[in-house]
Amino acid sequence: MTRRELLFDGNEKQVYATDDDKLVIFRFKDEITAYNNVKRAKLKDKGIITNAVSSLLFEYLKDRGVDTHFVERIGEREQLCRKICIIPLELIVRNRVAGTEAMRLGLPEGSEPASVILNLRYNNDTLGDPLINDTEACALGIATPADLKVVYSTGLRINTLLKDLFARAGIILADFKLEFGRASDGSIIVSDEISPDTSRLWDAQTLEKLDKDRFRLDLGDVADSYKKVYERLKAAVK
Ligand code: 5GP
């Protein structure tokens, strides 16, 4: 597959056109950013690890019938993906309370809610990705009630599958973010990435953080923790 012009240059990823107008190439950079891009750094080989983790997880989901934009990993930092029309929503799936949810509801970090929490966010950097409810998402023309049903049910299905995989890897899947897009046939599919950049992953024994919180909170060993996640997942999927 030939890589053609750069379509989008994001903080941590680039998207390139290909010679097939239904496919794009995602390229993972070594940049790491947090707090809406206020904090940023370069982390050697981070793009290689996030591509490896996200490819592994998307393959795992694909094998279990979840429709995503991922086609195949085509290089250390690159994956081939289906071209989608971005839906500007983020779905946050939470098995444990952490981050903004802990702050917003005044709950202790790590507490386990009685059921899975789903938050919908408007993906808008200028506004800082605010929470949005279903009526707002529909009123703004971002999604229909039927679209939201797919978004929520897909989020819960992915949570069930990934919680189990991470548990076998000795990791608690505390929370994660999903993004969605509309495929050429109109169906809603999962897009973007799932990696330690977009999730909270805690060692099941020690509760050590193995995700982007290591960067957000200056805990050090960011790349080593990401590598640990990849090695453990690789062993768990076998
Ligand atoms: P929180 O709402 O606690 O900040 O984030 C919840 C989960 O979603 C975390 O795993 C966090 O990494 C992920 N997440 C939320 N928004 C973003 C975002 O804009 N970028 C990335 N990379 N992850 C996000």
Side-chain angles (χ1 to χ4, degrees), residues 87-94 104 117-123 129-138 142-143 147-148 151-152 178 180:
I87 299 173
L89 291 176
E90 295 178 350
L91 181 72
I92 313 294
V93 182
R94 300 179 192 272
R104 197 168 61 88
I117 296 173
L118 299 176
N119 297 138
L120 201 61
R121 293 224 185 109
Y122 182 25
N123 194 346
D129 302 340
L131 285 175
I132 189 172
N133 69 29
D134 290 20
T135 64
E136 289 169 318
C138 294
I142 297 170
D147 293 339
L148 294 176
V151 165
Y152 289 130
L178 292 175
F180 296 84

Side-chain angles (χ1 to χ4, degrees), residues 151-197:
V151 165
Y152 289 130
S153 62
T154 305
L156 290 174
R157 167 105 178 107
I158 290 177
N159 187 44
T160 303
L161 292 168
L162 293 191
K163 219 167 57 166
D164 172 65
L165 173 63
F166 276 104
R168 281 187 275 125
I171 293 170
I172 296 169
L173 177 61
D175 64 29
F176 61 99
K177 170 187 72 111
L178 292 175
E179 295 189 17
F180 296 84
R182 214 172 291 278
S184 53
D185 64 0
S187 63
I188 291 178
I189 60 174
V190 178
S191 65
D192 197 52
E193 67 173 292
I194 309 175
S195 76
D197 264 0

